[in-house]
Amino acid sequence: QVQLVESGGGLVQAGDSLRLSCAASGRTFSNYHMGWFRQAPGKEREIVAAISRTGGSTYYADSVKGRFTISRDNAKNTVYLQMNSLKPEDTAVYYCAADDRRTLISRTIGGYDYWGQGTQVTVSS
């Protein structure tokens, strides 16, 4: 199975940018669709963005469309989430997730079998 480790979170001000990284190890990274999810205090975990095995297909939640960009570097076994124009409502723990079973990228928690430990993103107003 694949192991996932997120990094890049932190405390920023509204309008700032952050880039999250998720490094994968253990299996062939290009076999996995990858997703970024987030969970704010008291709220359910929700999808932020997802990217297909080759990077040719992406999905974004409406709340981040136009501000966030998901990308991957299969040679580096890493998926990224570039977050621009951050808002206080983006504050959450961000998780990356991997799926090697489905044909298409999934938008749901149940569509991913492997998860990282999460990285905190806090956006102050």
Side-chain angles (χ1 to χ4, degrees), residues 15 25 29-30 32 34 38 47 51 53 61 78 88 103 115 121-122:
S25 62
F29 181 63
S30 59
Y32 294 86
M34 300 297 296
R38 67 186 180 186
I47 190 165
I51 189 166
R53 295 180 176 93
T78 303
T103 302
W115 293 82
V121 172
T122 303

Side-chain angles (χ1 to χ4, degrees), residues 38 40 43 46 63 67 86-92 94 123:
R38 67 186 180 186
K43 294 188 177 181
E46 62 178 6
S63 58
R67 299 188 298 123
L86 282 161
K87 304 175 181 180
E89 51 263 44
D90 294 318
T91 295
Y94 283 72
V123 184

Side-chain angles (χ1 to χ4, degrees), residues 38-121:
R38 67 186 180 186
Q39 188 166 18
K43 294 188 177 181
E44 294 185 351
R45 191 172 298 189
E46 62 178 6
I47 190 165
V48 175
I51 189 166
S52 62
R53 295 180 176 93
T54 64
S57 178
T58 57
Y59 166 80
Y60 295 94
D62 288 343
S63 58
V64 306
K65 204 171 291 184
R67 299 188 298 123
F68 291 11
T69 302
I70 188 171
S71 63
R72 66 189 296 160
D73 185 337
N74 285 347
K76 295 183 177 180
N77 294 345
T78 303
V79 61
Y80 304 98
L81 185 68
Q82 178 66 44
M83 306 186 294
N84 298 330
S85 302
L86 282 161
K87 304 175 181 180
E89 51 263 44
D90 294 318
T91 295
V93 177
Y94 283 72
Y95 300 89
C96 71
D99 161 47
D100 64 348
R101 294 192 289 130
R102 292 160 182 80
T103 302
L104 302 176
I105 56 176
S106 176
R107 305 175 182 183
T108 65
I109 295 172
Y112 295 85
D113 297 317
Y114 307 101
W115 293 82
Q117 83 290 348
T119 185
Q120 177 71 47
V121 172

